[in-house]
Amino acid sequence: MESRLNITNQEELWKMKPSRNLEEDDCLNKDSGETSMLKRPGLLHSHQATHSDQFDCPQELQHQQELFAKWRLPIKIAAVISSLTFLYTFLREVIHPFVTSHQLYFYRIPILVINKVLPMVSITLLALVYLPGVIAAIVQLRNGTKYKKFPHWLDRWMLTRKQFGLLSFFFAVLHAIYSLSYPMRRSYRYKLLNWAYQQVQQNREDAWIEHDVWRMEIYVSLGIVALAILALLAVTSIPSVSDSLTWREFNYIQSKLGIVTLLLGTIHALIFAWNKWVDIKQFVWCTPPTFMIAVFLPIVVLICKTILFLPCLRKKILKIRHGWEDVTKMNKTELSSQL
């Protein structure tokens, strides 16, 4: 009888929670868009501690909570980009040598092929974090006001930017780990022996290539710095950390340092390519190498950001975001909507 009373009291406690807390505990917080677990009520009576399951969330409330609602779109897009990039790289790195020269390079799949997929997915997802901001600025300039609602797809995209950024960081960390594992591979050791033997056969005492050394040093250094700043962005997106920052500090880290990270990642990919842009051997079956495709979207985002940062456009965007409205454009949109 006592246990039934306790269960009844527990359900009443969940129902009697203030509406503000229920909104905070909801899986989709309307203000922050962050996921959180339902908070458990505190102990009311000492004898209730003997029941271990009475603080569990009621079954009906569990069904009301959505599962990873904000993560669905970013995960789907990341999965599609990963799958397409994997198939594209597999075609170039494995199928092409097998068809043209009957060379078996299937051993490249676990490390080399995957490690060409990871950086492309990472930098593409990072570009998708800042692309909706560019589109939103263009829409506001076109409408002449900030009070007109964005399209539903753009609004949904902007609400999932945090998840896109965290997935980008995840793929970047995997890329760094896979890159560090290169010297541990048995195939790399065999290739190193082959290179040493070829150098002896060619009577070369020094295999030093100056420009290749500089290329390696620069792009590895830029990659490390970009990953470090991306880690800072990921840490500041944690609710407990972001709550300790002012809005100006949080905005500065997420927007300014985020663009710097995207710029460093793009330069990292460009320097990795070096002189491969004009190397005809890189175009297998008339297809461009992966790094050319990877830097396309980030370059577009950076160019658009640069254009929007011009004083003539920057001042107008800031005025609109502070409440100013362009009456002429608003009248034109109203007339077009009436027609």
Side-chain angles (χ1 to χ4, degrees):
M1 185 68 183
E2 183 182 357
S3 110
R4 290 180 61 186
L5 288 174
N6 289 334
I7 294 172
T8 306
N9 292 337
Q10 180 59 31
E11 292 178 354
E12 290 178 356
L13 283 172
W14 281 96
K15 293 177 181 178
M16 291 171 60
K17 287 185 67 177
S19 59
R20 182 180 63 85
N21 292 336
L22 286 174
E23 291 176 357
E24 291 175 356
D25 293 337
D26 193 4
C27 182
L28 276 176
N29 189 301
K30 295 181 180 178
D31 296 329
S32 61
E34 297 169 343
T35 57
S36 62
M37 297 179 62
L38 284 169
K39 299 177 183 178
R40 300 174 178 179
L43 290 171
L44 296 179
H45 304 286
S46 60
H47 68 273
Q48 292 181 355
T50 58
H51 304 282
S52 59
D53 60 340
Q54 65 181 349
F55 293 112
D56 293 338
C57 179
Q59 194 70 21
E60 57 272 15
L61 287 180
Q62 290 183 9
H63 291 300
Q64 292 176 6
Q65 293 177 319
E66 295 185 57
L67 184 64
F68 299 112
K70 290 269 183 165
W71 288 88
R72 292 174 187 172
L73 178 63
I75 289 176
K76 288 178 182 178
I77 292 178
V80 170
I81 297 173
S82 302
S83 302
L84 294 177
T85 308
F86 176 82
L87 293 175
Y88 185 81
T89 310
F90 178 75
L91 179 71
R92 288 174 47 86
E93 299 292 331
V94 180
I95 300 299
H96 176 264
F98 179 74
V99 172
T100 56
S101 56
H102 301 286
Q103 293 178 327
L104 297 176
Y105 286 156
F106 289 93
Y107 70 89
R108 293 179 172 180
I109 296 176
I111 300 294
L112 291 178
V113 173
I114 296 297
N115 200 35
K116 288 193 175 183
V117 174
L118 295 174
M120 178 168 178
V121 178
S122 177
I123 197 170
T124 303
L125 292 177
L126 187 60
L128 291 176
V129 174
Y130 298 98
L131 181 58
V134 173
I135 299 174
I138 295 173
V139 170
Q140 287 179 338
L141 285 173
R142 180 178 175 274
N143 294 333
T145 179
K146 72 172 185 178
Y147 298 107
K148 188 174 181 179
K149 289 184 178 181
F150 292 129
H152 176 70
W153 59 269
L154 180 59
D155 189 50
R156 184 185 176 192
W157 187 358
M158 294 185 71
L159 289 174
T160 56
R161 287 180 294 177
K162 171 184 173 181
Q163 285 72 25
F164 275 110
L166 291 175
L167 285 176
S168 173
F169 174 66
F170 172 73
F171 281 98
V173 170
L174 285 181
H175 172 53
I177 296 173
Y178 270 74
S179 300
L180 291 174
S181 69
Y182 273 15
M184 296 186 289
R185 294 159 46 240
R186 181 65 64 180
S187 58
Y188 179 82
R189 297 177 186 178
Y190 288 148
K191 280 192 173 184
L192 196 61
L193 291 174
N194 292 336
W195 292 334
Y197 178 75
Q198 292 172 5
Q199 183 178 340
V200 172
Q201 290 293 103
Q202 296 171 1
N203 291 323
R204 294 175 58 189
E205 295 181 359
D206 191 2
W208 185 275
I209 302 175
E210 187 72 20
H211 71 86
D212 200 37
V213 172
W214 276 103
R215 177 185 75 92
M216 187 79 171
E217 299 292 326
I218 294 173
Y219 92 78
V220 170
S221 177
L222 289 174
I224 293 172
V225 175
L227 181 60
I229 302 177
L230 193 58
L232 178 62
L233 296 174
V235 170
T236 53
S237 66
I238 299 173
S240 60
V241 178
S242 60
D243 291 343
S244 65
L245 300 173
T246 63
W247 168 248
R248 187 176 181 182
E249 294 169 344
F250 180 79
N251 182 61
Y252 180 84
I253 293 173
Q254 294 292 331
S255 60
K256 303 298 188 298
L257 292 183
I259 291 297
V260 170
T261 306
L262 184 61
L263 177 62
L264 291 176
T266 306
I267 298 175
H268 167 74
L270 293 174
I271 295 179
F272 169 79
W274 203 253
N275 56 356
K276 295 178 182 178
W277 293 91
V278 293
D279 187 2
I280 199 66
K281 295 179 181 179
Q282 298 293 325
F283 294 85
V284 175
W285 280 339
C286 299
T287 58
T290 311
F291 58 80
M292 284 189 181
I293 303 174
V295 299
F296 175 75
L297 186 60
I299 288 176
V300 170
V301 174
L302 290 171
I303 291 174
C304 292
K305 280 284 187 181
T306 303
I307 294 173
L308 292 174
F309 201 72
L310 295 175
C312 55
L313 295 176
R314 181 67 177 170
K315 290 180 180 178
K316 192 170 184 179
I317 292 172
L318 290 176
K319 285 173 65 178
I320 291 174
R321 290 178 178 175
H322 282 88
W324 178 77
E325 294 180 306
D326 192 344
V327 182
T328 57
K329 288 190 176 182
M330 291 179 63
N331 292 334
K332 288 181 180 178
T333 55
E334 288 177 0
L335 289 173
S336 61
S337 62
Q338 290 176 0
L339 294 174

